[in-house]
Amino acid sequence: MKRWNPTLMTALMLMICAAAGAEEGMWRPGQLPDLAKELKELGLDLDPDTLTDLTAHPMNAVISLGGCTASFVSPEGLVITNHHCAYRAIQYNSTPENNLLADGFVAGSRDQERYAGPGSRVLVTVEVRDVTDVILADLDAGQGGRERYQVIEDREKALIADCEKGEGYRCRVASYHGGLQYELIRQLEIRDVRLVYAPPESVGKYGGDIDNWMWPRHTGDFAFYRAYVGPDGKPADPDAENVPFLPAHHLEIAADGVDEGDFVMVVGYPGRTNRYRTAAEVESLFSWSYPTRKRLFEEWIGVVEEATSTRPDAALKYAPTLAGLNNASKNYGGMLEGFSRSDAVPRKQSLEAELQAWIEADPEREARYGAAFSHLAKLVDERQGLRERDLYYLYLARRSSLLSSARTLYRLSREREKPDAEREPGYQDRDLTRIRERLIRVDRSFDADVDRFVWRHLIGRYAAIPTEMHVGAFDEWFGIDGNSVDATYLDLKLGEMYAETGLDEQETRLAWMDATRVELEKSDDPFLRLAVHMYDADMAIEEQNKDLNGRFLEARPRFMEALVAFLDSQGKAVYPDANGTLRVTVGTVAGSAPRDGMRYLPFTTLAGVVDKDTGVKPFDTPPSLLEAMRRGDSGRWADEGLGSVPVNFLTTLDTTGGNSGSPTLNGRGELVGVIFDGTWESIISDWDFLPEKTRSIHVDIRYALWVMEQLGGAGHLLEEMGIEAAPEYPIASAGGR
Amino acid sequence: MKRWNPTLMTALMLMICAAAGAEEGMWRPGQLPDLAKELKELGLDLDPDTLTDLTAHPMNAVISLGGCTASFVSPEGLVITNHHCAYRAIQYNSTPENNLLADGFVAGSRDQERYAGPGSRVLVTVEVRDVTDVILADLDAGQGGRERYQVIEDREKALIADCEKGEGYRCRVASYHGGLQYELIRQLEIRDVRLVYAPPESVGKYGGDIDNWMWPRHTGDFAFYRAYVGPDGKPADPDAENVPFLPAHHLEIAADGVDEGDFVMVVGYPGRTNRYRTAAEVESLFSWSYPTRKRLFEEWIGVVEEATSTRPDAALKYAPTLAGLNNASKNYGGMLEGFSRSDAVPRKQSLEAELQAWIEADPEREARYGAAFSHLAKLVDERQGLRERDLYYLYLARRSSLLSSARTLYRLSREREKPDAEREPGYQDRDLTRIRERLIRVDRSFDADVDRFVWRHLIGRYAAIPTEMHVGAFDEWFGIDGNSVDATYLDLKLGEMYAETGLDEQETRLAWMDATRVELEKSDDPFLRLAVHMYDADMAIEEQNKDLNGRFLEARPRFMEALVAFLDSQGKAVYPDANGTLRVTVGTVAGSAPRDGMRYLPFTTLAGVVDKDTGVKPFDTPPSLLEAMRRGDSGRWADEGLGSVPVNFLTTLDTTGGNSGSPTLNGRGELVGVIFDGTWESIISDWDFLPEKTRSIHVDIRYALWVMEQLGGAGHLLEEMGIEAAPEYPIASAGGR
């Protein structure tokens, strides 16, 4: 096989993105100048070139929270994001007596702002550099998968280690098109993040799981953080002496909002899309993985609900877990429904056939890409053969919080025996703070009885899969024989483990962080013993998966290179799948025709909140707000056309999970809303973008401002964002509700 | 108390109906000339006076099926109605081998038309006469409830007996405004009704219970009957010698359909609305009756499903029962949802307070109506005190098909001891045919195991209500002690009853119809023994209820008289609640804004059927139709604006159950569709009409014609309806599919 030249391909990719509609696509900022004409036509006032400079306004004001996006909205580090992105921070500061989820929160002054909890981060991207040449230098198809995997990992680690020199930075290597291009991304990592404002859950999560993914929507899904740094202006551990971070740039609020048809863009960190997967991959996902996961997650939800039904303390702890499971299982449902009405598989099959024909039509292409598709297809088959083990064993059967902690601790001790640069990513010195935070955070969403109850159920599900997918050491530990489980023995075993472990104590968990391998192996803590017992078997699976992944790292880019070249030959633009890196999506405010015989209108209003309200969670708007809505009191935030305050709005923007909390900007780069969801018909867009149906859902900034004024106590925050005081809502903070 | 003058009030009522909007209201035909101006503005081309003559076109073409409405669409008695109105007839002609529900049916010629089954009727209204004076003559408030009840019943029976002289007529006395006015209605009763055409269930019930009450909708809910009479042209029992009935008038098909905004009207027999109930009545219904019934019906559905899950034969028999229960429980859900967002109770309370103030403001009014509201309120309280006994005992605990038959037989023998004119309505000589048909029809929806299983469950629910609501004789029979049931004894008892009874045999049931009271009392059939055992207790309850109803018959009209006079003083129109009599509702083709942030469009199209189709019931369009839809083959029935065949459409018409199957007419009185449902947001309209949300759902006649042409074999029926043959769909009948 011939070596292929990644640099050439990168250049090719950057050339070919100007065709087709700009509305589909999570564009890399550097691609935007190529779309200049369409952006102008859509209504962008800014020069697209200004969007390519990540250190300038407005890009520099957009930040990552790790999993969510957010943005600076004041010169003193005030951050706006979604209520659901701040959910764990609000929960962290809640107790049954002082339940901020229920009551909401407003810090009347800086000293009332509350630490958002371990693991909370604000990440400001400061530099992005193409490192494809470095990563792929001298690699060819000759290596085995395992070796390729290791070479790439080692190079990534070396680049990261170098990049993180100088305190307060976090770096990562992002790969595009499955490994066709690599970028090194450097982010300032602010680790003192504080909660400034959250509306009550009955606003911020209005509609709850029932309305999740739905339109019409009436959710006030916004909250505010503030980033703090040390007195020297550098990232620092949480400390009373810390001071607000002063960002170089922040977004202005466009309090006049948007209208139907207006240009909008979202800048953010979308997590993952899979628009270039093969027909076979899509088929397997939708015929097996999603239905199976949906079923398992629904069971899991039932098990957690059963275990917490009479225990409000445990219920509070597991609320975020349940929210996550509900969200995922509803998402899978939407995927499956979208897929059942989609022709994605035959369309992909046609595309693959056309691609193959195009390749075979030219000897040079044949030589270069001839085997690209079949090679990838073989690997896809191979991975499918392992899907039951991967889901039921790796993902589910080890899913006890205490086992996770034990596995982390033992693995850490093993990795520590190596020089830092040779350790598994996630276990290097740079990761110790995060490991420590994770071990602390366990308490917030852990209850021994619930953990055991859930784990017992998941072990049972694992036991039922074909025995050739079983892991002997695990079966041995729990007395699983073939597919049969001795329930009495399992209960006895689990009872002992939870009774005898010390890992349910935070102090104990943290103390073990400094232990050596030998010390851990001598421990008689049953969870540590299980972690040690499983180590060799788990490592063997890991090695097997790394080898397969290494082979994917050769095959996928080859296929993508061919596909990109083919699409280019047809004048079609190619944006890379989302991979957690900064992207821009552009479009307009627009309703849609989700189904024959009905339309989604682009805006919802206060009247719709009143209509939905039943007084019962999740439709239990705070009485004072409901009263104001019933009075038709729009304050100063009414949209003239609607005659009411716009609550949520729809856009044609191409977004996915990770975009949550992203600022929605108008053509001048001003903030008009915050994205928090997509419609039911859009869920499938992670796999298949349908322009006429895909819509993102945003909270209108005017609703956020209306809520803050109506509930009171937040005038100082509005002032900080440059919103002039209204006579009826004086700025002077009351310091409370 | 002063006597009130019903004749004066009737005249008053007829005077005051011209005000306010015509779109709310199920108008009596006689009221339409008063609405002439608005009808013209809405788009009625016909002279409203033509709509008052029930023997002329178009009114005379509209007929009742008893529970559903239908209309003549050919000079030879061809009738169009809903698929769901013909459901029992289709089921009656289905077997597991020849399942017309699944496959649909087309009679290729007259001799292939199939008897619709016992109890099927076509009722043609021929005369309506005001009989208020006769019914209420010399009645005043001095009588007790029981006496008033009997006097009114006796007078009704006498009027009916006189009216039914001359064979083939069926008469009833209908009361308006709870007894303020009475009318005698004479209908020609055609009892040889035959099934002519039914689309497959996958068209006629497309969307099934999932889409029931929903928009967007894609249901081809139409079917055709033909009315047959004896060779002499008079109604006759089913017989091969019978000939098609030749109606004096029939409706023409407007094959060009309707557009958004067009005038439409529905003529039909709406069953029951309750728009004038008191706040207290509404409150009790929505806080207790509907939620309780919904819960019980859902259980009942579960019990039937469990009992039939492994028995396709029983499942087929219970399909209509399940459809009815599903429909009702979903309806209750819609009612409750609508009510939770409604201010009907406070609005009614205000109205009642205003009414009382208006009455008290004038001594004459005070003398006449002073106690009207409080008197009615007292009776409402009294009835609420019996609601658990009425629901759990009368309605549920006696709900075995065999017990119903036994009770009917024994009651018949008791009533037969009296002269015909003195018998309980339902047990007179005029009722014998219907009783016989009912006893025959049992077999079609009866299975002993399912019947027992359901009954056992319902007895259990009865046992759990407060014991003061229990009926001693019933408890005694089943060994119910307080609230406790000995399950072993109950099962033993039920097992014996079903093992020993002969009533599961049609022949035996019919044979008992001629037995005397003494013969029945000597029978050792366990169901007959139970019927005898319960007789005295049941009669005591019946007497108590008749007395209460008699008092309502005095109080309700008094209240309604006051309310009508009060509304009249404000210039507000008053139409009477639906009571199964012929009504006209007028409006336009229009979408709606059911909720903030979305719109219903007025039409659905073929594309929407394809979108919904999953290939799995109830979204399993026949492959040939689906293929045509995918091809965009609209035949000659496309709407130009929509670019497709309209499937269903929405109108502002005010309709309810009983209107099912009613013809939807354009301004020229031509048929443009058939109504079959209302939207979810309209369910509450039985209690509270909301003009901006209430919408009726119609099958577009163009979709019916498209389906008939695509499936083939029905060209002769199109021709009979005056539709010219299309070259590609020759008239010549193939006599099959």
Side-chain angles (χ1 to χ4, degrees):
Chain A
M1 262 186 264
K2 230 181 129 184
R3 241 177 63 166
W4 83 100
N5 180 334
T7 315
L8 182 135
M9 285 317 303
T10 308
L12 183 64
M13 275 170 49
L14 293 176
M15 274 165 53
I16 57 171
C17 52
E23 290 189 76
E24 171 180 349
M26 301 170 183
W27 303 100
R28 297 165 72 180
Q31 295 182 296
L32 294 174
D34 297 326
L35 299 168
K37 187 160 158 285
E38 285 149 299
L39 295 177
K40 201 173 171 62
E41 277 169 18
L42 278 172
L44 176 66
D45 297 319
L46 297 176
D47 179 346
D49 285 338
T50 63
L51 299 175
T52 64
D53 184 351
L54 301 188
T55 61
H57 184 277
M59 302 304 278
N60 183 251
V62 181
I63 55 189
S64 170
L65 303 178
C68 275
T69 305
S71 56
F72 289 119
V73 287
S74 91
E76 298 188 79
L78 189 65
V79 166
I80 192 167
T81 187
N82 289 149
H83 182 272
H84 81 260
C85 294
Y87 199 84
R88 282 190 182 266
I90 305 168
Q91 183 208 25
Y92 178 79
N93 284 287
S94 290
T95 59
E97 299 74 40
N98 189 15
N99 188 338
L100 305 192
L101 282 173
D103 304 335
F105 173 70
V106 53
S109 58
R110 297 280 157 87
D111 59 4
Q112 291 179 15
E113 296 177 355
R114 303 224 194 154
Y115 177 50
S120 55
R121 291 284 184 281
V122 159
L123 299 163
V124 187
T125 299
V126 292
E127 196 189 344
V128 176
R129 183 157 62 90
D130 190 298
V131 293
T132 314
D133 285 354
V134 182
I135 296 284
L136 297 182
D138 302 319
L139 276 179
D140 61 34
Q143 293 98 356
R146 184 65 188 89
E147 186 187 346
R148 167 176 287 269
Y149 185 92
Q150 199 58 52
V151 168
I152 291 175
E153 183 185 297
D154 288 345
R155 289 173 181 176
E156 287 182 355
K157 284 192 291 193
L159 283 166
I160 290 168
D162 186 58
C163 173
E164 289 183 350
K165 277 176 188 156
E167 219 177 308
Y169 291 98
R170 192 84 186 166
C171 300
R172 64 172 281 221
V173 172
S175 84
Y176 296 82
H177 288 314
L180 187 56
Q181 191 192 3
Y182 290 86
E183 278 184 345
L184 179 65
I185 297 162
R186 189 179 204 210
Q187 296 181 311
L188 187 71
E189 182 185 39
I190 296 173
R191 53 192 192 272
D192 185 357
V193 181
R194 302 190 192 172
L195 182 65
V196 176
Y197 187 93
E201 189 173 28
S202 53
V203 171
K205 205 185 164 183
Y206 191 72
D209 291 328
I210 297 171
D211 269 9
N212 190 15
W213 301 106
M214 292 293 134
W215 185 265
R217 192 66 162 278
H218 300 85
T219 310
D221 198 351
F222 70 95
F224 291 90
Y225 278 157
R226 192 184 304 279
Y228 277 79
V229 289
D232 61 354
K234 289 185 178 159
D237 286 332
D239 190 290
E241 297 305 306
N242 286 350
V243 297
F245 173 71
L246 308 180
H249 301 280
H250 70 273
L251 300 174
E252 300 294 334
I253 307 294
D256 55 342
V258 276
D259 289 322
E260 184 167 5
D262 281 359
F263 172 89
V264 279
M265 61 182 166
V266 151
V267 183
Y269 291 89
R272 180 163 300 281
T273 57
N274 307 283
R275 302 233 172 101
Y276 304 104
R277 293 296 166 110
T278 68
E281 285 181 291
V282 168
E283 215 285 329
S284 163
L285 250 295
F286 283 89
S287 69
W288 190 83
S289 304
Y290 283 138
T292 307
R293 282 169 170 256
K294 182 168 191 294
R295 187 169 44 73
L296 289 166
F297 278 35
E298 283 165 358
E299 287 179 12
W300 189 343
I301 289 165
V303 172
V304 173
E305 283 177 345
E306 192 184 336
T308 58
S309 62
T310 56
R311 306 223 2 243
D313 56 328
L316 194 63
K317 284 184 168 180
Y318 279 82
T321 305
L322 278 182
L325 288 170
N326 268 311
N327 188 51
S329 84
K330 195 164 182 181
N331 185 313
Y332 296 151
M335 292 270 196
L336 290 167
E337 189 175 317
F339 186 72
S340 75
R341 312 202 185 297
S342 143
D343 60 346
V345 167
R347 229 182 319 114
K348 278 178 183 287
Q349 285 166 338
S350 305
L351 179 67
E352 285 159 13
E354 286 167 32
L355 171 62
Q356 199 59 33
W358 176 80
I359 290 171
E360 288 166 10
D362 178 282
E364 206 173 317
R365 290 201 292 264
E366 170 68 22
R368 189 179 188 87
Y369 308 124
F373 178 69
S374 63
H375 184 190
L376 179 60
K378 217 178 110 283
L379 297 184
V380 167
D381 271 357
E382 192 175 332
R383 177 161 282 166
Q384 278 179 31
L386 300 170
R387 63 190 185 185
E388 277 168 311
R389 187 193 67 188
D390 288 352
L391 174 61
Y392 285 92
Y393 175 69
L394 292 183
Y395 186 71
L396 296 176
R398 307 188 299 177
R399 208 157 188 88
S400 146
S401 288
L402 298 188
L403 180 58
S404 295
S405 296
R407 289 178 46 238
T408 299
L409 290 167
Y410 183 59
R411 181 70 180 268
L412 181 61
S413 76
R414 300 281 299 225
E415 296 295 332
R416 268 199 173 141
E417 295 180 332
K418 309 175 203 166
D420 190 60
E422 288 172 27
R423 293 183 203 160
E424 179 74 7
Y427 296 92
Q428 295 180 281
D429 287 341
R430 68 192 283 272
D431 302 309
L432 291 179
T433 305
R434 291 186 179 218
I435 290 175
R436 180 179 306 274
E437 285 169 348
R438 219 159 58 226
L439 291 172
I440 292 171
R441 216 164 45 203
V442 164
D443 289 342
R444 284 272 137 195
S445 51
F446 170 78
D447 173 274
D449 289 341
V450 180
D451 197 65
R452 189 182 68 223
F453 199 66
V454 170
W455 195 23
R456 183 186 191 284
H457 176 84
L458 297 176
I459 292 170
R461 287 290 171 269
Y462 154 80
I465 66 172
T467 51
E468 66 270 24
M469 296 280 112
H470 277 215
V471 179
F474 192 80
D475 289 7
E476 187 192 318
W477 183 269
F478 286 113
I480 297 167
D481 180 15
N483 288 123
S484 80
V485 184
D486 179 339
T488 314
Y489 180 76
L490 178 62
D491 282 333
L492 196 73
K493 187 87 182 170
L494 289 172
E496 274 174 23
M497 288 179 74
Y498 282 86
E500 292 169 14
T501 187
L503 292 186
D504 53 348
E505 298 291 333
Q506 191 187 111
E507 227 171 286
T508 311
R509 290 194 299 274
L510 293 179
W512 280 117
M513 264 192 83
D514 302 316
T516 65
R517 170 183 169 182
V518 174
E519 284 165 346
L520 281 156
E521 287 173 354
K522 281 188 186 155
S523 163
D524 57 3
D525 187 290
F527 282 94
L528 288 173
R529 279 177 48 227
L530 176 56
V532 172
H533 176 76
M534 293 307 306
Y535 187 79
D536 288 344
D538 285 357
M539 286 306 292
I541 294 173
E542 187 172 307
E543 286 297 308
Q544 186 187 6
N545 279 343
K546 280 182 177 175
D547 176 64
L548 180 55
N549 287 339
R551 285 179 286 142
F552 265 106
L553 282 173
E554 199 261 324
R556 179 93 61 191
R558 182 78 52 113
F559 170 72
M560 284 306 301
E561 183 185 340
L563 182 61
V564 166
F566 172 62
L567 292 173
D568 176 48
S569 76
Q570 302 188 324
K572 285 182 188 152
V574 181
Y575 55 89
D577 266 320
N579 59 354
T581 60
L582 192 63
R583 302 294 180 93
V584 180
T585 163
V586 297
T588 57
V589 177
S592 71
R595 287 187 283 291
D596 182 47
M598 62 178 281
R599 273 199 70 78
Y600 288 159
L601 303 181
F603 287 94
T604 57
T605 66
L606 297 184
V609 182
V610 176
D611 265 5
K612 275 185 183 169
D613 215 86
T614 59
V616 177
K617 199 175 170 180
F619 297 104
D620 53 343
T621 303
S624 68
L625 288 189
L626 198 60
E627 198 36 59
M629 290 167 177
R630 288 213 167 103
R631 281 198 310 272
D633 177 1
S634 296
R636 46 181 172 154
W637 305 113
D639 179 272
E640 215 174 295
L642 297 170
S644 177
V645 179
V647 174
N648 291 164
F649 62 87
L650 292 177
T651 68
T652 60
L653 297 172
D654 185 2
T655 61
T656 189
N659 269 124
S660 280
S662 295
T664 311
L665 307 178
N666 64 17
R668 298 185 301 277
E670 299 160 344
L671 188 143
V672 294
V674 183
I675 183 176
F676 69 97
D677 207 357
T679 61
W680 186 248
E681 297 76 19
S682 308
I683 294 180
I684 187 72
S685 77
D686 280 359
W687 297 85
D688 195 24
F689 185 91
L690 303 168
E692 67 281 12
K693 292 198 174 177
T694 303
R695 292 295 180 273
S696 292
I697 307 179
H698 310 252
V699 58
D700 195 299
I701 194 64
R702 291 168 287 185
Y703 183 56
L705 297 170
W706 183 85
V707 166
M708 292 172 83
E709 287 196 339
Q710 289 287 341
L711 290 178
H716 58 299
L717 298 176
L718 268 60
E719 188 183 40
E720 187 179 341
M721 289 187 282
I723 312 275
E724 275 178 44
E728 65 275 34
Y729 302 106
I731 289 295
S733 158
R737 320 304 291 265
Chain B
M1 260 186 265
K2 235 182 122 181
R3 246 179 59 172
W4 83 101
N5 180 333
T7 315
L8 180 135
M9 285 319 302
T10 307
L12 182 64
M13 274 170 51
L14 292 176
M15 275 165 51
I16 58 171
C17 53
E23 288 189 77
E24 171 180 350
M26 300 170 183
W27 303 101
R28 297 165 71 179
Q31 294 183 298
L32 294 174
D34 297 326
L35 299 168
K37 189 163 158 280
E38 285 149 298
L39 294 177
K40 201 173 169 61
E41 277 171 18
L42 278 172
L44 177 67
D45 296 319
L46 297 176
D47 179 347
D49 284 339
T50 64
L51 298 175
T52 64
D53 185 351
L54 302 188
T55 62
H57 183 277
M59 303 304 279
N60 183 252
V62 181
I63 55 189
S64 171
L65 302 179
C68 275
T69 304
S71 56
F72 289 120
V73 287
S74 92
E76 297 188 79
L78 190 65
V79 167
I80 190 167
T81 187
N82 289 148
H83 182 271
H84 80 261
C85 294
Y87 199 85
R88 281 189 184 269
I90 305 167
Q91 183 208 23
Y92 178 80
N93 284 288
S94 290
T95 58
E97 299 74 39
N98 190 12
N99 189 339
L100 305 192
L101 282 173
D103 304 335
F105 173 71
V106 54
S109 58
R110 296 281 157 88
D111 59 5
Q112 291 179 16
E113 298 177 353
R114 303 227 194 150
Y115 177 49
S120 54
R121 290 286 182 281
V122 159
L123 300 162
V124 188
T125 299
V126 291
E127 196 190 344
V128 176
R129 183 157 62 90
D130 189 299
V131 294
T132 313
D133 286 353
V134 182
I135 296 284
L136 297 182
D138 302 318
L139 275 179
D140 61 34
Q143 294 99 354
R146 185 65 189 89
E147 186 186 346
R148 165 176 289 268
Y149 185 93
Q150 199 57 53
V151 169
I152 292 174
E153 183 185 296
D154 289 345
R155 288 173 180 174
E156 287 181 357
K157 283 192 291 194
L159 283 166
I160 290 168
D162 186 61
C163 174
E164 288 183 352
K165 276 176 192 157
E167 223 178 306
Y169 292 97
R170 191 82 186 168
C171 300
R172 65 173 281 220
V173 172
S175 84
Y176 297 81
H177 289 313
L180 187 56
Q181 191 193 2
Y182 291 86
E183 278 184 346
L184 179 65
I185 298 162
R186 191 179 203 210
Q187 296 180 311
L188 188 70
E189 183 185 38
I190 297 173
R191 53 191 191 273
D192 186 357
V193 181
R194 303 190 192 172
L195 183 65
V196 176
Y197 186 92
E201 189 173 29
S202 52
V203 170
K205 207 185 163 182
Y206 191 71
D209 291 327
I210 296 171
D211 269 9
N212 189 14
W213 301 105
M214 293 292 135
W215 186 264
R217 193 65 162 277
H218 300 84
T219 311
D221 198 351
F222 69 96
F224 290 90
Y225 278 156
R226 192 184 305 278
Y228 278 79
V229 288
D232 60 354
K234 289 185 180 159
D237 286 331
D239 191 289
E241 298 304 304
N242 286 349
V243 298
F245 173 72
L246 308 180
H249 302 280
H250 70 273
L251 300 174
E252 300 293 337
I253 306 295
D256 54 342
V258 275
D259 290 321
E260 183 167 5
D262 281 359
F263 172 89
V264 277
M265 61 181 167
V266 151
V267 183
Y269 292 87
R272 180 162 298 282
T273 57
N274 306 283
R275 302 231 173 106
Y276 304 104
R277 293 297 165 108
T278 68
E281 285 181 291
V282 169
E283 214 286 328
S284 164
L285 250 297
F286 284 90
S287 68
W288 189 83
S289 304
Y290 283 138
T292 307
R293 281 169 170 257
K294 182 168 192 294
R295 187 169 43 74
L296 289 166
F297 278 34
E298 284 166 358
E299 286 179 13
W300 190 343
I301 290 165
V303 171
V304 173
E305 283 177 345
E306 192 184 336
T308 58
S309 63
T310 56
R311 306 220 6 240
D313 57 329
L316 194 63
K317 284 186 169 179
Y318 279 83
T321 305
L322 277 182
L325 288 170
N326 268 311
N327 188 51
S329 83
K330 195 165 181 181
N331 185 314
Y332 296 150
M335 291 271 196
L336 290 167
E337 187 174 316
F339 186 72
S340 74
R341 313 202 185 299
S342 142
D343 60 347
V345 167
R347 227 183 319 116
K348 277 178 184 285
Q349 284 167 337
S350 304
L351 178 68
E352 285 160 15
E354 285 166 33
L355 172 62
Q356 199 59 32
W358 177 80
I359 291 171
E360 287 166 12
D362 177 282
E364 206 175 316
R365 291 201 293 262
E366 170 68 22
R368 190 180 187 89
Y369 308 124
F373 179 70
S374 62
H375 184 189
L376 179 60
K378 218 178 109 283
L379 297 184
V380 167
D381 271 357
E382 191 175 332
R383 178 162 282 164
Q384 279 180 30
L386 300 171
R387 65 190 184 185
E388 277 170 312
R389 186 193 67 190
D390 288 353
L391 175 60
Y392 285 92
Y393 176 69
L394 293 183
Y395 186 71
L396 297 177
R398 308 189 299 178
R399 210 158 187 87
S400 145
S401 289
L402 299 188
L403 180 58
S404 295
S405 297
R407 289 178 47 238
T408 299
L409 291 166
Y410 183 58
R411 181 71 179 267
L412 181 61
S413 75
R414 300 283 297 225
E415 296 295 331
R416 268 198 174 141
E417 296 180 331
K418 309 175 203 165
D420 190 61
E422 289 172 26
R423 293 183 203 158
E424 180 73 9
Y427 295 93
Q428 296 180 280
D429 287 342
R430 68 192 284 270
D431 302 309
L432 291 180
T433 306
R434 293 189 178 215
I435 290 175
R436 181 179 309 273
E437 285 169 349
R438 220 160 54 227
L439 290 172
I440 292 171
R441 214 164 46 203
V442 164
D443 289 342
R444 283 274 140 195
S445 50
F446 170 79
D447 175 273
D449 288 341
V450 180
D451 199 64
R452 189 182 67 225
F453 199 67
V454 170
W455 195 23
R456 183 187 190 284
H457 176 83
L458 297 176
I459 292 169
R461 287 290 171 268
Y462 155 79
I465 65 171
T467 50
E468 66 269 23
M469 297 280 111
H470 277 214
V471 179
F474 192 79
D475 290 5
E476 188 193 318
W477 183 269
F478 286 113
I480 297 169
D481 179 15
N483 288 124
S484 81
V485 185
D486 179 340
T488 314
Y489 180 77
L490 178 62
D491 282 333
L492 196 73
K493 187 88 183 172
L494 290 172
E496 275 174 24
M497 289 179 74
Y498 282 86
E500 292 169 14
T501 187
L503 292 186
D504 53 347
E505 298 291 332
Q506 192 188 111
E507 227 171 284
T508 311
R509 290 195 297 274
L510 293 179
W512 280 117
M513 262 191 85
D514 303 315
T516 65
R517 169 183 169 182
V518 175
E519 286 166 346
L520 281 157
E521 287 174 355
K522 280 188 186 153
S523 163
D524 56 4
D525 188 289
F527 281 94
L528 289 172
R529 279 178 47 228
L530 176 56
V532 172
H533 176 76
M534 292 308 306
Y535 187 78
D536 289 343
D538 285 358
M539 285 308 291
I541 293 173
E542 187 172 306
E543 286 296 309
Q544 186 187 7
N545 279 343
K546 280 182 176 175
D547 176 65
L548 180 55
N549 287 339
R551 285 179 285 144
F552 265 106
L553 282 173
E554 197 261 323
R556 179 94 62 193
R558 181 76 53 109
F559 169 73
M560 285 306 300
E561 183 186 338
L563 182 62
V564 165
F566 171 62
L567 292 173
D568 176 48
S569 76
Q570 301 188 327
K572 286 181 186 153
V574 181
Y575 54 90
D577 266 320
N579 59 353
T581 61
L582 191 64
R583 303 294 179 92
V584 180
T585 163
V586 296
T588 58
V589 177
S592 71
R595 286 187 284 291
D596 182 47
M598 63 179 281
R599 273 200 70 77
Y600 289 159
L601 303 181
F603 287 95
T604 57
T605 67
L606 297 184
V609 182
V610 177
D611 266 3
K612 275 186 184 170
D613 215 85
T614 58
V616 178
K617 199 175 172 181
F619 297 104
D620 54 342
T621 303
S624 69
L625 288 189
L626 198 61
E627 198 36 59
M629 289 169 179
R630 288 214 168 103
R631 282 197 310 272
D633 177 0
S634 296
R636 46 179 172 157
W637 305 114
D639 179 271
E640 214 174 293
L642 296 171
S644 178
V645 179
V647 175
N648 291 164
F649 62 88
L650 292 177
T651 68
T652 61
L653 297 172
D654 184 4
T655 61
T656 189
N659 269 122
S660 280
S662 295
T664 311
L665 307 178
N666 64 16
R668 298 184 301 278
E670 298 160 346
L671 188 142
V672 294
V674 183
I675 183 175
F676 68 97
D677 207 356
T679 60
W680 186 248
E681 296 76 20
S682 308
I683 293 180
I684 187 71
S685 76
D686 280 0
W687 298 85
D688 195 25
F689 185 90
L690 302 168
E692 69 280 11
K693 294 199 172 175
T694 303
R695 292 295 179 274
S696 291
I697 307 179
H698 311 251
V699 57
D700 196 299
I701 193 64
R702 292 168 286 185
Y703 183 56
L705 297 170
W706 182 85
V707 167
M708 292 172 82
E709 286 196 340
Q710 288 287 342
L711 290 179
H716 57 299
L717 298 176
L718 269 59
E719 188 183 41
E720 186 179 341
M721 291 187 279
I723 312 275
E724 276 178 42
E728 65 274 34
Y729 302 106
I731 288 294
S733 159
R737 318 304 293 265

